[in-house]
Amino acid sequence: MAGETTGRTAVVPFRQFVLKVHSRCNLACTYCYIYAGPDRSWRTRPPTVPAATVRQTARRIAEHARAHRLRAVRIDLHGGEPLLTGPGPLLDQAAAVRAALPAGCTADFGVQTNGTLLTADIIDTLGATGFRLGLSVDGGTPGLNRRRVDHAGRPSWPAVSRAAGLLHDRPGVFAGILCTIDITADPAEVYGSLRALDPPMLDFLLPHANWSSPPPATSGRGPRTPYGDWLCTVFDLWWDGGPGPRVRVFTEILGLLLGRPSSSEAVGLSPVVAVIVDTDGAIEQVDSLKSAYEGAAATGLDVFHHTFDQALAHPGMVARRTGRDGLGDRCRGCALVEVCGGGNYAHRYRADGTGFRNPSVYCADLERLIRHIAARLKAEITPN
């Protein structure tokens, strides 16, 4: 049953299943932690997920939904670039999951794409069956997307720009935009150009980095909190700018400050509810862990031999689901722990034997942002 307890620990089931449908990508983004990072497991996996693996994954999802009496699950078809398969296999995969789910459980389907392969027909075909499409970009201009190039070094922006326009004209299908922060880019230009694309949601992602592989522009020269400062600038533009897109990192922090639980791994102490199934059926933890070291996301489990309940009990999953108890001493004693939550788990890694029991490498940046948002919120709700 959803939320049942074993001893003192609540068993929180998976509710989001990220299915890798293609393990390759047609872009070679210069900051990609999957294809340019320390984990090269993608090289040994099938480029496309076999139909038998999809069917078995669907059975495992249905088994998990039935065991925990879930009324809804989220299914994200991911990559690589999932649209390298074309829309047909995505429709088949969605149909397989829907057919397997028990009565009373529904599924919402999403695709996260770089946009280069999107056409009006693909958007309409997927949208007609309930898919929502998210777009990954670094901004709304050619210059801001200079890091997103194909394997020949050619810019992706012309194709992505067309895709953004097509999604804008189909707001019921457009899920939003993910943007990895480039600290060298002007935050006002980035936010303004993305807002001009009129997405329903924006999410600004800190580059995946850790204490042993620090993020760009944190060498000790310049501001102490460059990412926090960058995000504070964007927050003020968003807060003061009137109606606009929901910015997930900001709404998550505002919610946490007001006492709501988090729904993101970036902040807060809520247990993770997402699990990955790769193209070979391997059950893995979130991809961001692959930025730490080879095999960091691996569980040794797969959908052919193991259940998702067994994945819940995996030590790596447990470590990411224990809230405050899973943090190091410094984080547990911090006044901001309920909001920060230690930051993204992958960003805590240090290759000195301490592993992930460290503050986030972005600790100072997160503190800067949280305190800034708290101050703006207090000023808004405090009577004059």
Side-chain angles (χ1 to χ4, degrees), residues 13-20 39 41 45-46 49 53-54 56-64 272-287 289-290 295-318 320-321:
F14 295 120
R15 290 184 172 86
Q16 180 182 5
F17 300 86
V18 181
L19 312 185
K20 296 296 189 77
D39 189 297
S41 57
R45 291 192 159 124
V49 61
T53 302
V54 174
Q56 180 60 19
T57 302
R59 285 191 284 266
R60 290 299 191 195
I61 293 171
E63 174 184 56
H64 197 69
V272 61
V273 295
V275 65
I276 312 290
V277 179
D278 220 309
T279 57
D280 59 355
I283 299 173
E284 297 208 321
Q285 301 182 72
V286 290
D287 273 350
L289 289 175
K290 294 180 179 181
T299 66
L301 309 178
D302 66 76
V303 294
F304 296 101
H305 302 97
H306 306 93
T307 68
F308 286 120
D309 271 14
Q310 287 175 287
L312 283 175
H314 183 273
M317 295 288 190
V318 171
R320 293 169 49 239
R321 298 166 66 86

Short mmCIF file of all heavy atoms in Angstrom, two decimals, residues 13-20 39 41 45-46 49 53-54 56-64 272-287 289-290 295-318 320-321:
data_model
loop_
_atom_site.label_atom_id
_atom_site.label_comp_id
_atom_site.label_asym_id
_atom_site.label_seq_id
_atom_site.Cartn_x
_atom_site.Cartn_y
_atom_site.Cartn_z
N PRO A 13 6.57 4.50 -2.57
CA PRO A 13 6.80 3.80 -3.84
C PRO A 13 7.30 4.74 -4.93
O PRO A 13 7.19 5.96 -4.83
CB PRO A 13 5.41 3.25 -4.19
CG PRO A 13 4.46 4.20 -3.54
CD PRO A 13 5.13 4.63 -2.26
N PHE A 14 7.84 4.14 -5.97
CA PHE A 14 8.17 4.91 -7.17
C PHE A 14 6.88 5.36 -7.84
O PHE A 14 5.91 4.59 -7.93
CB PHE A 14 8.98 4.07 -8.16
CG PHE A 14 10.33 3.66 -7.66
CD1 PHE A 14 10.66 2.32 -7.53
CD2 PHE A 14 11.29 4.61 -7.33
CE1 PHE A 14 11.92 1.93 -7.09
CE2 PHE A 14 12.55 4.24 -6.87
CZ PHE A 14 12.85 2.89 -6.75
N ARG A 15 6.88 6.58 -8.31
CA ARG A 15 5.73 7.10 -9.06
C ARG A 15 6.15 7.64 -10.42
O ARG A 15 5.28 7.95 -11.25
CB ARG A 15 5.03 8.20 -8.26
CG ARG A 15 4.30 7.68 -7.03
CD ARG A 15 3.53 8.79 -6.32
NE ARG A 15 2.67 8.27 -5.26
CZ ARG A 15 3.05 8.05 -4.02
NH1 ARG A 15 4.32 8.30 -3.68
NH2 ARG A 15 2.22 7.58 -3.13
N GLN A 16 7.45 7.78 -10.63
CA GLN A 16 7.95 8.27 -11.92
C GLN A 16 8.92 7.24 -12.46
O GLN A 16 9.89 6.87 -11.79
CB GLN A 16 8.64 9.62 -11.77
CG GLN A 16 9.18 10.17 -13.09
CD GLN A 16 9.92 11.50 -12.92
OE1 GLN A 16 10.10 11.96 -11.80
NE2 GLN A 16 10.35 12.08 -14.01
N PHE A 17 8.68 6.79 -13.68
CA PHE A 17 9.51 5.78 -14.32
C PHE A 17 10.09 6.38 -15.60
O PHE A 17 9.34 6.77 -16.51
CB PHE A 17 8.68 4.53 -14.64
CG PHE A 17 8.08 3.91 -13.42
CD1 PHE A 17 6.85 4.35 -12.92
CD2 PHE A 17 8.73 2.90 -12.73
CE1 PHE A 17 6.28 3.79 -11.78
CE2 PHE A 17 8.19 2.33 -11.59
CZ PHE A 17 6.96 2.78 -11.11
N VAL A 18 11.40 6.51 -15.61
CA VAL A 18 12.09 7.09 -16.76
C VAL A 18 12.62 5.94 -17.61
O VAL A 18 13.51 5.20 -17.19
CB VAL A 18 13.25 8.01 -16.32
CG1 VAL A 18 13.94 8.61 -17.54
CG2 VAL A 18 12.73 9.11 -15.40
N LEU A 19 12.05 5.76 -18.78
CA LEU A 19 12.40 4.65 -19.65
C LEU A 19 13.31 5.15 -20.76
O LEU A 19 12.92 6.01 -21.57
CB LEU A 19 11.13 4.02 -20.24
CG LEU A 19 9.99 3.70 -19.26
CD1 LEU A 19 8.88 2.96 -19.99
CD2 LEU A 19 10.50 2.90 -18.08
N LYS A 20 14.53 4.64 -20.80
CA LYS A 20 15.45 4.99 -21.86
C LYS A 20 15.03 4.24 -23.14
O LYS A 20 15.04 3.01 -23.17
CB LYS A 20 16.88 4.63 -21.48
CG LYS A 20 17.42 5.38 -20.28
CD LYS A 20 17.51 6.87 -20.59
CE LYS A 20 18.26 7.60 -19.49
NZ LYS A 20 19.70 7.41 -19.57
N ASP A 39 31.18 8.06 -16.67
CA ASP A 39 30.46 6.80 -16.84
C ASP A 39 30.22 6.53 -18.33
O ASP A 39 29.56 7.31 -19.00
CB ASP A 39 29.12 6.85 -16.10
CG ASP A 39 28.43 5.50 -16.04
OD1 ASP A 39 28.07 4.97 -17.10
OD2 ASP A 39 28.26 4.97 -14.92
N SER A 41 28.88 3.57 -19.54
CA SER A 41 28.06 2.37 -19.66
C SER A 41 27.15 2.41 -20.88
O SER A 41 26.73 1.36 -21.39
CB SER A 41 27.23 2.16 -18.40
OG SER A 41 26.41 3.29 -18.13
N ARG A 45 25.28 -0.63 -24.22
CA ARG A 45 23.85 -0.87 -24.19
C ARG A 45 23.24 -0.79 -25.59
O ARG A 45 23.77 -0.10 -26.47
CB ARG A 45 23.19 0.15 -23.26
CG ARG A 45 23.58 -0.12 -21.81
CD ARG A 45 22.76 0.65 -20.84
NE ARG A 45 22.82 0.01 -19.54
CZ ARG A 45 23.21 0.61 -18.44
NH1 ARG A 45 23.58 1.88 -18.46
NH2 ARG A 45 23.22 -0.05 -17.29
N PRO A 46 22.12 -1.47 -25.82
CA PRO A 46 21.48 -1.40 -27.14
C PRO A 46 21.14 0.05 -27.49
O PRO A 46 20.65 0.80 -26.64
CB PRO A 46 20.20 -2.22 -26.95
CG PRO A 46 20.44 -3.07 -25.74
CD PRO A 46 21.37 -2.30 -24.86
N VAL A 49 15.70 0.45 -27.38
CA VAL A 49 15.17 -0.53 -26.45
C VAL A 49 14.37 -1.59 -27.19
O VAL A 49 13.50 -1.27 -28.00
CB VAL A 49 14.31 0.17 -25.37
CG1 VAL A 49 13.10 0.89 -25.98
CG2 VAL A 49 13.87 -0.83 -24.31
N THR A 53 11.84 -5.83 -23.89
CA THR A 53 12.22 -5.09 -22.69
C THR A 53 11.12 -4.12 -22.29
O THR A 53 10.83 -3.96 -21.10
CB THR A 53 13.54 -4.35 -22.92
OG1 THR A 53 14.55 -5.30 -23.29
CG2 THR A 53 13.99 -3.62 -21.66
N VAL A 54 10.50 -3.48 -23.28
CA VAL A 54 9.38 -2.57 -22.99
C VAL A 54 8.24 -3.33 -22.34
O VAL A 54 7.66 -2.89 -21.35
CB VAL A 54 8.92 -1.86 -24.28
CG1 VAL A 54 7.67 -1.04 -24.01
CG2 VAL A 54 10.03 -0.98 -24.84
N GLN A 56 8.29 -6.14 -20.66
CA GLN A 56 8.63 -6.58 -19.30
C GLN A 56 8.64 -5.39 -18.33
O GLN A 56 8.21 -5.51 -17.19
CB GLN A 56 9.98 -7.29 -19.29
CG GLN A 56 10.43 -7.79 -17.93
CD GLN A 56 9.48 -8.79 -17.29
OE1 GLN A 56 8.65 -9.40 -17.98
NE2 GLN A 56 9.59 -8.96 -15.99
N THR A 57 9.13 -4.25 -18.81
CA THR A 57 9.11 -3.04 -17.97
C THR A 57 7.68 -2.65 -17.64
O THR A 57 7.36 -2.28 -16.50
CB THR A 57 9.83 -1.89 -18.67
OG1 THR A 57 11.18 -2.27 -18.96
CG2 THR A 57 9.84 -0.64 -17.81
N ALA A 58 6.80 -2.74 -18.64
CA ALA A 58 5.39 -2.42 -18.41
C ALA A 58 4.79 -3.34 -17.36
O ALA A 58 4.02 -2.89 -16.49
CB ALA A 58 4.62 -2.53 -19.72
N ARG A 59 5.13 -4.63 -17.42
CA ARG A 59 4.63 -5.56 -16.41
C ARG A 59 5.14 -5.21 -15.02
O ARG A 59 4.40 -5.29 -14.03
CB ARG A 59 5.03 -7.00 -16.79
CG ARG A 59 4.21 -7.59 -17.94
CD ARG A 59 4.45 -9.07 -18.09
NE ARG A 59 5.73 -9.36 -18.70
CZ ARG A 59 5.93 -9.56 -20.00
NH1 ARG A 59 4.88 -9.46 -20.85
NH2 ARG A 59 7.12 -9.84 -20.48
N ARG A 60 6.41 -4.81 -14.94
CA ARG A 60 6.97 -4.44 -13.63
C ARG A 60 6.32 -3.16 -13.08
O ARG A 60 6.08 -3.04 -11.88
CB ARG A 60 8.48 -4.26 -13.74
CG ARG A 60 9.27 -5.54 -13.97
CD ARG A 60 9.09 -6.53 -12.83
NE ARG A 60 10.05 -7.63 -12.94
CZ ARG A 60 9.96 -8.75 -12.27
NH1 ARG A 60 8.93 -8.96 -11.44
NH2 ARG A 60 10.87 -9.71 -12.41
N ILE A 61 6.06 -2.20 -13.95
CA ILE A 61 5.39 -0.97 -13.51
C ILE A 61 3.99 -1.31 -12.99
O ILE A 61 3.56 -0.83 -11.93
CB ILE A 61 5.33 0.06 -14.65
CG1 ILE A 61 6.73 0.55 -15.02
CG2 ILE A 61 4.43 1.24 -14.26
CD1 ILE A 61 6.77 1.41 -16.27
N ALA A 62 3.28 -2.16 -13.74
CA ALA A 62 1.93 -2.55 -13.32
C ALA A 62 1.96 -3.30 -11.99
O ALA A 62 1.11 -3.07 -11.11
CB ALA A 62 1.30 -3.42 -14.40
N GLU A 63 2.95 -4.16 -11.82
CA GLU A 63 3.12 -4.90 -10.57
C GLU A 63 3.32 -3.94 -9.40
O GLU A 63 2.73 -4.11 -8.32
CB GLU A 63 4.32 -5.82 -10.74
CG GLU A 63 4.76 -6.60 -9.53
CD GLU A 63 6.03 -7.39 -9.82
OE1 GLU A 63 7.05 -6.76 -10.24
OE2 GLU A 63 6.02 -8.61 -9.65
N HIS A 64 4.15 -2.92 -9.62
CA HIS A 64 4.43 -1.94 -8.57
C HIS A 64 3.19 -1.11 -8.27
O HIS A 64 2.87 -0.85 -7.09
CB HIS A 64 5.58 -1.04 -9.04
CG HIS A 64 6.24 -0.26 -7.95
ND1 HIS A 64 7.00 -0.83 -6.97
CD2 HIS A 64 6.25 1.08 -7.69
CE1 HIS A 64 7.47 0.10 -6.15
NE2 HIS A 64 7.03 1.27 -6.57
N VAL A 272 13.07 10.52 -2.98
CA VAL A 272 13.04 10.42 -4.43
C VAL A 272 12.00 9.39 -4.84
O VAL A 272 11.85 8.35 -4.20
CB VAL A 272 14.43 10.06 -4.98
CG1 VAL A 272 14.90 8.72 -4.45
CG2 VAL A 272 14.44 10.04 -6.50
N VAL A 273 11.24 9.68 -5.89
CA VAL A 273 10.19 8.76 -6.34
C VAL A 273 10.41 8.34 -7.79
O VAL A 273 9.53 7.74 -8.40
CB VAL A 273 8.79 9.38 -6.19
CG1 VAL A 273 8.46 9.62 -4.72
CG2 VAL A 273 8.66 10.68 -6.99
N ALA A 274 11.60 8.62 -8.34
CA ALA A 274 11.88 8.30 -9.74
C ALA A 274 12.90 7.18 -9.83
O ALA A 274 13.81 7.05 -9.01
CB ALA A 274 12.41 9.54 -10.46
N VAL A 275 12.76 6.35 -10.86
CA VAL A 275 13.69 5.27 -11.14
C VAL A 275 13.89 5.18 -12.65
O VAL A 275 13.00 5.53 -13.42
CB VAL A 275 13.15 3.93 -10.56
CG1 VAL A 275 11.87 3.51 -11.25
CG2 VAL A 275 14.20 2.84 -10.60
N ILE A 276 15.08 4.74 -13.06
CA ILE A 276 15.44 4.67 -14.46
C ILE A 276 15.44 3.21 -14.91
O ILE A 276 15.89 2.32 -14.19
CB ILE A 276 16.86 5.24 -14.70
CG1 ILE A 276 17.03 6.60 -14.03
CG2 ILE A 276 17.17 5.30 -16.19
CD1 ILE A 276 16.27 7.72 -14.63
N VAL A 277 14.96 2.96 -16.13
CA VAL A 277 15.14 1.66 -16.78
C VAL A 277 15.86 1.93 -18.10
O VAL A 277 15.35 2.63 -18.97
CB VAL A 277 13.82 0.94 -17.03
CG1 VAL A 277 14.06 -0.40 -17.74
CG2 VAL A 277 13.06 0.72 -15.73
N ASP A 278 17.07 1.38 -18.24
CA ASP A 278 17.86 1.63 -19.44
C ASP A 278 17.45 0.70 -20.58
O ASP A 278 16.60 -0.18 -20.41
CB ASP A 278 19.36 1.51 -19.14
CG ASP A 278 20.17 2.57 -19.84
OD1 ASP A 278 20.01 2.73 -21.07
OD2 ASP A 278 20.97 3.27 -19.18
N THR A 279 18.06 0.89 -21.75
CA THR A 279 17.62 0.16 -22.94
C THR A 279 17.86 -1.35 -22.85
O THR A 279 17.25 -2.11 -23.60
CB THR A 279 18.32 0.69 -24.20
OG1 THR A 279 19.74 0.60 -24.03
CG2 THR A 279 17.94 2.13 -24.47
N ASP A 280 18.71 -1.79 -21.94
CA ASP A 280 18.93 -3.22 -21.75
C ASP A 280 18.10 -3.78 -20.61
O ASP A 280 18.25 -4.95 -20.24
CB ASP A 280 20.41 -3.52 -21.51
CG ASP A 280 20.96 -2.80 -20.28
OD1 ASP A 280 20.23 -1.99 -19.68
OD2 ASP A 280 22.13 -3.04 -19.93
N GLY A 281 17.23 -2.95 -20.03
CA GLY A 281 16.39 -3.39 -18.92
C GLY A 281 17.01 -3.17 -17.55
O GLY A 281 16.38 -3.50 -16.54
N ALA A 282 18.22 -2.63 -17.49
CA ALA A 282 18.86 -2.37 -16.20
C ALA A 282 18.06 -1.34 -15.42
O ALA A 282 17.63 -0.32 -15.98
CB ALA A 282 20.29 -1.88 -16.40
N ILE A 283 17.84 -1.60 -14.13
CA ILE A 283 17.20 -0.65 -13.24
C ILE A 283 18.30 0.19 -12.60
O ILE A 283 19.23 -0.34 -11.99
CB ILE A 283 16.39 -1.37 -12.14
CG1 ILE A 283 15.28 -2.23 -12.76
CG2 ILE A 283 15.80 -0.36 -11.17
CD1 ILE A 283 14.55 -3.11 -11.77
N GLU A 284 18.21 1.51 -12.77
CA GLU A 284 19.27 2.38 -12.30
C GLU A 284 18.71 3.54 -11.48
O GLU A 284 17.52 3.86 -11.54
CB GLU A 284 20.08 2.93 -13.48
CG GLU A 284 20.79 1.85 -14.29
CD GLU A 284 22.05 2.37 -14.95
OE1 GLU A 284 22.02 3.51 -15.43
OE2 GLU A 284 23.04 1.61 -14.99
N GLN A 285 19.61 4.15 -10.72
CA GLN A 285 19.29 5.39 -10.05
C GLN A 285 19.37 6.53 -11.07
O GLN A 285 19.70 6.31 -12.24
CB GLN A 285 20.27 5.62 -8.91
CG GLN A 285 20.25 4.50 -7.87
CD GLN A 285 21.20 4.78 -6.74
OE1 GLN A 285 20.94 5.64 -5.90
NE2 GLN A 285 22.30 4.05 -6.68
N VAL A 286 19.08 7.74 -10.62
CA VAL A 286 19.00 8.86 -11.54
C VAL A 286 20.31 9.08 -12.30
O VAL A 286 21.40 8.86 -11.78
CB VAL A 286 18.60 10.16 -10.81
CG1 VAL A 286 17.17 10.09 -10.33
CG2 VAL A 286 19.54 10.43 -9.64
N ASP A 287 20.17 9.54 -13.54
CA ASP A 287 21.33 9.73 -14.42
C ASP A 287 22.36 10.69 -13.87
O ASP A 287 23.55 10.58 -14.18
CB ASP A 287 20.87 10.25 -15.79
CG ASP A 287 20.49 9.13 -16.73
OD1 ASP A 287 20.76 7.95 -16.41
OD2 ASP A 287 19.91 9.43 -17.79
N LEU A 289 23.82 10.86 -11.22
CA LEU A 289 24.89 10.19 -10.49
C LEU A 289 26.03 9.78 -11.40
O LEU A 289 27.17 9.60 -10.95
CB LEU A 289 24.33 8.96 -9.76
CG LEU A 289 23.43 9.25 -8.56
CD1 LEU A 289 22.85 7.96 -8.02
CD2 LEU A 289 24.20 9.98 -7.48
N LYS A 290 25.76 9.64 -12.69
CA LYS A 290 26.82 9.25 -13.62
C LYS A 290 27.89 10.32 -13.78
O LYS A 290 28.96 10.05 -14.31
CB LYS A 290 26.20 8.91 -14.98
CG LYS A 290 25.30 7.68 -14.94
CD LYS A 290 24.70 7.34 -16.29
CE LYS A 290 23.84 6.09 -16.19
NZ LYS A 290 23.25 5.72 -17.49
N GLY A 295 29.67 3.75 -12.89
CA GLY A 295 28.85 2.82 -12.13
C GLY A 295 28.11 3.41 -10.96
O GLY A 295 27.45 2.67 -10.22
N ALA A 296 28.18 4.73 -10.77
CA ALA A 296 27.53 5.33 -9.59
C ALA A 296 26.02 5.16 -9.61
O ALA A 296 25.40 5.08 -8.55
CB ALA A 296 27.88 6.82 -9.51
N ALA A 297 25.42 5.10 -10.79
CA ALA A 297 23.96 4.96 -10.88
C ALA A 297 23.51 3.50 -10.91
O ALA A 297 22.31 3.22 -10.81
CB ALA A 297 23.45 5.67 -12.13
N ALA A 298 24.44 2.57 -11.05
CA ALA A 298 24.08 1.16 -11.22
C ALA A 298 23.53 0.56 -9.93
O ALA A 298 23.93 0.94 -8.83
CB ALA A 298 25.29 0.36 -11.68
N THR A 299 22.61 -0.39 -10.08
CA THR A 299 22.07 -1.13 -8.93
C THR A 299 22.36 -2.62 -9.03
O THR A 299 22.20 -3.34 -8.04
CB THR A 299 20.54 -0.95 -8.83
OG1 THR A 299 19.93 -1.56 -9.98
CG2 THR A 299 20.16 0.52 -8.76
N GLY A 300 22.71 -3.10 -10.21
CA GLY A 300 22.87 -4.53 -10.42
C GLY A 300 21.55 -5.25 -10.63
O GLY A 300 21.52 -6.48 -10.74
N LEU A 301 20.46 -4.51 -10.70
CA LEU A 301 19.13 -5.07 -10.88
C LEU A 301 18.64 -4.85 -12.31
O LEU A 301 19.12 -3.95 -13.00
CB LEU A 301 18.14 -4.43 -9.90
CG LEU A 301 18.56 -4.39 -8.43
CD1 LEU A 301 17.49 -3.68 -7.61
CD2 LEU A 301 18.82 -5.78 -7.89
N ASP A 302 17.69 -5.66 -12.74
CA ASP A 302 17.07 -5.45 -14.05
C ASP A 302 15.63 -5.92 -14.01
O ASP A 302 15.23 -6.69 -13.12
CB ASP A 302 17.86 -6.18 -15.16
CG ASP A 302 17.81 -7.69 -15.00
OD1 ASP A 302 16.76 -8.27 -15.33
OD2 ASP A 302 18.81 -8.28 -14.55
N VAL A 303 14.85 -5.47 -14.99
CA VAL A 303 13.41 -5.75 -14.96
C VAL A 303 13.08 -7.21 -15.23
O VAL A 303 11.97 -7.67 -14.93
CB VAL A 303 12.65 -4.85 -15.97
CG1 VAL A 303 12.74 -3.39 -15.56
CG2 VAL A 303 13.16 -5.07 -17.40
N PHE A 304 14.01 -7.97 -15.76
CA PHE A 304 13.75 -9.38 -16.05
C PHE A 304 13.86 -10.25 -14.81
O PHE A 304 13.23 -11.31 -14.73
CB PHE A 304 14.71 -9.87 -17.13
CG PHE A 304 14.53 -9.19 -18.46
CD1 PHE A 304 15.39 -8.18 -18.85
CD2 PHE A 304 13.47 -9.52 -19.29
CE1 PHE A 304 15.21 -7.52 -20.06
CE2 PHE A 304 13.28 -8.87 -20.50
CZ PHE A 304 14.15 -7.87 -20.89
N HIS A 305 14.67 -9.83 -13.85
CA HIS A 305 14.93 -10.67 -12.69
C HIS A 305 14.55 -10.02 -11.36
O HIS A 305 14.62 -10.68 -10.32
CB HIS A 305 16.42 -11.03 -12.63
CG HIS A 305 16.91 -11.74 -13.85
ND1 HIS A 305 17.55 -11.08 -14.88
CD2 HIS A 305 16.84 -13.04 -14.20
CE1 HIS A 305 17.86 -11.95 -15.82
NE2 HIS A 305 17.45 -13.15 -15.45
N HIS A 306 14.16 -8.74 -11.38
CA HIS A 306 13.93 -8.04 -10.12
C HIS A 306 12.70 -7.14 -10.22
O HIS A 306 12.35 -6.66 -11.30
CB HIS A 306 15.16 -7.17 -9.75
CG HIS A 306 16.44 -7.93 -9.72
ND1 HIS A 306 17.27 -8.01 -10.81
CD2 HIS A 306 17.02 -8.67 -8.73
CE1 HIS A 306 18.33 -8.75 -10.50
NE2 HIS A 306 18.20 -9.15 -9.25
N THR A 307 12.09 -6.91 -9.09
CA THR A 307 10.93 -6.03 -9.00
C THR A 307 11.38 -4.61 -8.63
O THR A 307 12.50 -4.40 -8.15
CB THR A 307 9.96 -6.52 -7.92
OG1 THR A 307 10.58 -6.38 -6.63
CG2 THR A 307 9.58 -7.98 -8.14
N PHE A 308 10.46 -3.68 -8.80
CA PHE A 308 10.77 -2.31 -8.36
C PHE A 308 10.79 -2.20 -6.84
O PHE A 308 11.45 -1.32 -6.29
CB PHE A 308 9.80 -1.31 -8.98
CG PHE A 308 10.07 -1.06 -10.45
CD1 PHE A 308 9.11 -1.33 -11.41
CD2 PHE A 308 11.29 -0.57 -10.86
CE1 PHE A 308 9.35 -1.10 -12.75
CE2 PHE A 308 11.56 -0.34 -12.22
CZ PHE A 308 10.58 -0.61 -13.17
N ASP A 309 10.10 -3.09 -6.15
CA ASP A 309 10.22 -3.10 -4.69
C ASP A 309 11.63 -3.51 -4.26
O ASP A 309 12.16 -2.98 -3.27
CB ASP A 309 9.20 -4.07 -4.08
CG ASP A 309 7.87 -3.39 -3.78
OD1 ASP A 309 7.66 -2.27 -4.28
OD2 ASP A 309 7.04 -3.98 -3.06
N GLN A 310 12.25 -4.41 -5.02
CA GLN A 310 13.65 -4.75 -4.72
C GLN A 310 14.55 -3.55 -4.98
O GLN A 310 15.52 -3.32 -4.26
CB GLN A 310 14.09 -5.95 -5.56
CG GLN A 310 13.49 -7.27 -5.11
CD GLN A 310 13.85 -8.42 -6.03
OE1 GLN A 310 13.34 -8.53 -7.14
NE2 GLN A 310 14.74 -9.29 -5.57
N ALA A 311 14.22 -2.76 -6.00
CA ALA A 311 15.00 -1.54 -6.26
C ALA A 311 14.84 -0.54 -5.12
O ALA A 311 15.80 0.14 -4.74
CB ALA A 311 14.57 -0.92 -7.58
N LEU A 312 13.63 -0.45 -4.55
CA LEU A 312 13.43 0.45 -3.41
C LEU A 312 14.35 0.11 -2.25
O LEU A 312 14.77 0.99 -1.50
CB LEU A 312 11.98 0.36 -2.92
CG LEU A 312 10.89 1.07 -3.73
CD1 LEU A 312 9.52 0.74 -3.15
CD2 LEU A 312 11.11 2.57 -3.75
N ALA A 313 14.67 -1.19 -2.10
CA ALA A 313 15.50 -1.64 -0.98
C ALA A 313 16.98 -1.58 -1.27
O ALA A 313 17.79 -1.87 -0.38
CB ALA A 313 15.11 -3.08 -0.61
N HIS A 314 17.36 -1.20 -2.48
CA HIS A 314 18.78 -1.12 -2.82
C HIS A 314 19.46 -0.05 -1.97
O HIS A 314 18.90 1.04 -1.76
CB HIS A 314 18.95 -0.79 -4.31
CG HIS A 314 20.37 -0.76 -4.76
ND1 HIS A 314 21.14 0.38 -4.68
CD2 HIS A 314 21.16 -1.71 -5.30
CE1 HIS A 314 22.35 0.11 -5.15
NE2 HIS A 314 22.38 -1.15 -5.53
N PRO A 315 20.66 -0.31 -1.45
CA PRO A 315 21.31 0.67 -0.55
C PRO A 315 21.45 2.06 -1.15
O PRO A 315 21.31 3.06 -0.44
CB PRO A 315 22.69 0.04 -0.29
CG PRO A 315 22.47 -1.43 -0.47
CD PRO A 315 21.43 -1.56 -1.56
N GLY A 316 21.72 2.14 -2.45
CA GLY A 316 21.83 3.46 -3.08
C GLY A 316 20.52 4.21 -3.07
O GLY A 316 20.48 5.42 -2.84
N MET A 317 19.42 3.49 -3.33
CA MET A 317 18.10 4.12 -3.27
C MET A 317 17.76 4.52 -1.84
O MET A 317 17.25 5.62 -1.59
CB MET A 317 17.03 3.15 -3.81
CG MET A 317 17.16 2.80 -5.26
SD MET A 317 16.70 4.19 -6.35
CE MET A 317 16.67 3.34 -7.94
N VAL A 318 18.05 3.62 -0.89
CA VAL A 318 17.74 3.91 0.50
C VAL A 318 18.48 5.17 0.97
O VAL A 318 17.91 6.02 1.67
CB VAL A 318 18.10 2.70 1.39
CG1 VAL A 318 18.00 3.07 2.87
CG2 VAL A 318 17.20 1.52 1.06
N ARG A 320 19.25 7.70 -0.63
CA ARG A 320 18.67 8.91 -1.20
C ARG A 320 17.23 9.12 -0.76
O ARG A 320 16.55 10.01 -1.25
CB ARG A 320 18.74 8.84 -2.73
CG ARG A 320 20.17 8.90 -3.25
CD ARG A 320 20.28 8.56 -4.74
NE ARG A 320 19.32 9.30 -5.53
CZ ARG A 320 18.40 8.72 -6.30
NH1 ARG A 320 18.29 7.42 -6.36
NH2 ARG A 320 17.57 9.46 -7.00
N ARG A 321 16.75 8.28 0.18
CA ARG A 321 15.36 8.36 0.59
C ARG A 321 15.22 8.53 2.11
O ARG A 321 14.12 8.40 2.65
CB ARG A 321 14.61 7.10 0.15
CG ARG A 321 14.59 6.90 -1.35
CD ARG A 321 14.14 5.49 -1.73
NE ARG A 321 12.76 5.25 -1.36
CZ ARG A 321 11.71 5.55 -2.12
NH1 ARG A 321 11.89 6.13 -3.29
NH2 ARG A 321 10.49 5.28 -1.72
#
